[in-house]
Amino acid sequence: MYKFFVQQLVDKFQHSLVGYELLMRRRDGDQWVLPVDFATIPVEDVVNALLEASELLKGKVPIIALNLNRDQLLNIDLLNAIVDCKDKIVPLKLVIEITEEESSQKIDDELILDRVKFFWNNDIQIALDDVSNGENHFDGIVNLIPFASEIKFALQNDHLDFSAPEVQRLISNWQDIANQHHIRFVLEGIETSTDDVTADRLGIAYRQGYYYGKPYLVDS
């Protein structure tokens, strides 16, 4: 059995809940665990979990975000099924987060761009997740940025020290890229009040992290 846990995305400066990121988990006995290989999850299970979560979230937030890695982007049946869900989850707006997870095979950049355009043409937003890591280094996503609505940077990757000037410069560089393209910049991994104050100082509005709320199971 698969279900989505959710973690909130907040706009700190507007004191508002912007949306939820959907985090897939698999039932293993009496525990919910991280799937070993997201690309092997049956399309039907992804769709059912998405529709179930969306019914419970309607009226609470404007957007929900679904993670897909590059291997999943190769599955055109999955992509078509997600597009078919778009109208069923209204008034929620769907965002696809392209994750940094390393691919199991060599995938041509143009193919990934085609998949991103497929969502774009179907009025589904794209977020580039955990930039500077894995597949989502700058050279790997530079051709995707014009089609993105959001760039996300994760402090938890590599256990980055948010107080370090070089880390703040790296974050500010990505924030500048987002600003240049007039898209959202999201900082993930905010865990303490010190992190929160530092993000205030850097002028970062959109945030995720344990400081604002841990992932939890969407349930009636």
Side-chain angles (χ1 to χ4, degrees):
M1 178 191 296
Y2 293 91
K3 285 183 179 288
F4 281 116
F5 281 57
V6 298
Q7 186 173 29
Q8 58 186 358
L9 167 64
V10 303
D11 182 337
K12 172 65 184 299
F13 298 150
Q14 295 298 321
H15 306 288
S16 63
L17 179 59
V18 176
Y20 285 106
E21 180 179 354
L22 306 180
L23 303 167
M24 182 67 84
R25 297 293 183 266
R26 178 178 61 83
R27 185 81 176 187
D28 183 9
D30 59 354
Q31 300 183 63
W32 291 98
V33 300
L34 194 69
V36 175
D37 184 355
F38 289 94
T40 64
I41 300 173
V43 172
E44 182 180 2
D45 288 334
V46 176
V47 169
N48 288 341
L50 174 60
L51 293 176
E52 180 183 17
S54 66
E55 282 301 312
L56 297 170
L57 295 174
K58 286 179 180 179
K60 297 181 179 180
V61 289
I63 64 173
I64 55 174
L66 174 66
N67 290 299
L68 294 181
N69 61 35
R70 281 165 173 74
D71 288 336
Q72 289 175 292
L73 290 177
L74 298 181
N75 187 345
I76 194 63
D77 291 335
L78 174 61
L79 273 57
N80 283 325
I82 291 171
V83 169
D84 288 342
C85 289
K86 184 189 67 172
D87 293 335
K88 299 176 183 178
I89 68 171
V90 173
L92 290 169
K93 186 78 172 177
L94 182 61
V95 177
I96 297 298
E97 294 195 12
I98 309 298
T99 70
E100 81 289 357
E101 185 179 345
E102 296 283 355
S103 304
S104 63
Q105 56 191 298
K106 176 62 177 176
I107 302 175
D108 186 77
D109 288 345
E110 285 301 314
L111 179 57
I112 299 302
L113 178 59
D114 285 344
R115 296 299 198 253
V116 166
K117 288 179 178 178
F118 173 78
F119 283 123
W120 177 270
N121 291 332
N122 282 282
D123 195 31
I124 293 176
Q125 295 183 22
I126 295 293
L128 302 174
D129 194 26
D130 292 6
V131 293
S132 283
N133 281 274
E135 298 280 3
N136 285 350
H137 54 85
F138 180 77
D139 289 344
I141 62 171
V142 63
N143 63 335
L144 306 181
I145 292 175
F147 299 94
S149 298
E150 186 175 290
I151 287 174
K152 303 182 76 173
F153 186 98
L155 286 171
Q156 66 267 28
N157 287 339
D158 301 322
H159 306 288
L160 295 177
D161 180 2
F162 196 17
S163 66
E166 62 273 18
V167 172
Q168 294 181 21
R169 284 194 295 270
L170 177 60
I171 292 169
S172 293
N173 286 341
W174 281 108
Q175 187 178 15
D176 288 343
I177 292 171
N179 290 339
Q180 290 164 13
H181 289 83
H182 308 289
I183 60 180
R184 295 184 297 272
F185 177 76
V186 179
L187 184 62
E188 301 178 278
I190 303 289
E191 296 188 350
T192 68
S193 58
T194 300
D195 292 342
D196 184 60
V197 170
T198 303
D200 285 347
R201 182 172 55 79
L202 294 177
I204 299 169
Y206 298 106
R207 309 177 195 177
Q208 280 182 257
Y210 285 4
Y211 183 72
Y212 311 109
K214 295 182 179 181
Y216 65 91
L217 177 63
V218 182
D219 205 343
S220 57

